[in-house]
Amino acid sequence: MLDSLNLTEVSALLTMIFTCIITIANMLMWLSTRRTIALQTASNYSLNYQSLIQGHRDLLFGLMNQPEVLQVFAKANKFDSEQWSLQSISTFFINHAWIHYVNFAHGTLDRAHLESFKKDAQDMFTWPSVYTRWQQAKTFYPENFRNFVENELLINISVDPDGPS
């Protein structure tokens, strides 16, 4: 069959084959670029959450590490500084779980580690102070994280909220 083709036909055939190859390569490159952009967007989203949580943590730790300032702040706002500190620390643990959840949800952490994370988080949510703080603050978290905590972490878990905290 190729014997009967003249030079122009062979050239046209080769051009068509190379055009198909280049088109396929461009499509694969486009898909790869699209995936890279999606992963970068998810990574940025996760990093933004981490930055917000870290800023919150730094602010509260700043107060906790300056007892005289914390006492003035507590008195001015009419709250017990020890209880406030306990709630803040409990919130840190909840936020730690939240950051991990956001990273898993956006694919920036390997899903293979999700089960060990869930076991650690289940243990953490059984701590009375963390459980009590969760009950107080859960409405401030996104619905998908609330569902994750309620349906995957607290399922079959018993917590004595009056236990030691």
Side-chain angles (χ1 to χ4, degrees), residues 14 24-25 37 42-43 48 50 70-71 75 77 96 102 105 107 110 114 122 126 130 138 143 148 152 154-155 157:
L14 287 174
I24 291 169
I37 290 170
S43 179
N48 286 340
Q50 290 177 38
L70 176 56
Q71 291 307 318
K75 184 177 178 183
N77 291 290
H96 178 75
V102 166
D110 188 356
L114 182 59
Q122 284 173 333
T126 64
V130 174
K138 66 183 171 183
E143 183 177 357
F148 174 75
E152 295 192 42
L154 292 177
I155 196 89
I157 301 287

Side-chain angles (χ1 to χ4, degrees), residues 7 9-10 13 17 30 39 43-44 52 54 61 75 83 88 92 94 99 144 158-159:
L7 188 58
E9 292 170 332
V10 170
L13 182 62
I17 291 170
W30 175 78
L39 185 58
S43 179
N44 288 345
L52 288 170
Q54 186 61 45
F61 267 143
K75 184 177 178 183
Q83 185 61 31
S88 295
F92 295 161
I94 294 168
I99 289 298
N144 56 354
S158 64
V159 178

